[in-house]
Amino acid sequence: MARLIAFTFCIAFLVGAGASVRVGMALAALAAVGLAGYVAWCGVALFIGRQR
């Protein structure tokens, strides 16, 4: 999941730098939301632990 988020950031940077800044910023915002969700999920997983 972290690799997918990093990939989205890279694509957003390339699109923003090259073709359309608005599309690049939208992709970067999507990646930022994904990163925040991933960090929150990792934090919750620390307290919940693994289900057996």
Side-chain angles (χ1 to χ4, degrees):
M1 185 64 162
R3 290 181 183 174
L4 177 63
I5 294 168
F7 176 73
T8 308
F9 269 123
C10 291
I11 295 299
F13 176 76
L14 292 174
V15 170
S20 173
V21 174
R22 288 184 184 176
V23 174
M25 291 302 289
L27 286 174
L30 179 67
V33 168
L35 181 62
Y38 180 71
V39 168
W41 175 254
C42 288
V44 169
L46 285 174
F47 293 108
I48 293 175
R50 293 189 177 196
Q51 300 279 338
R52 291 185 184 184

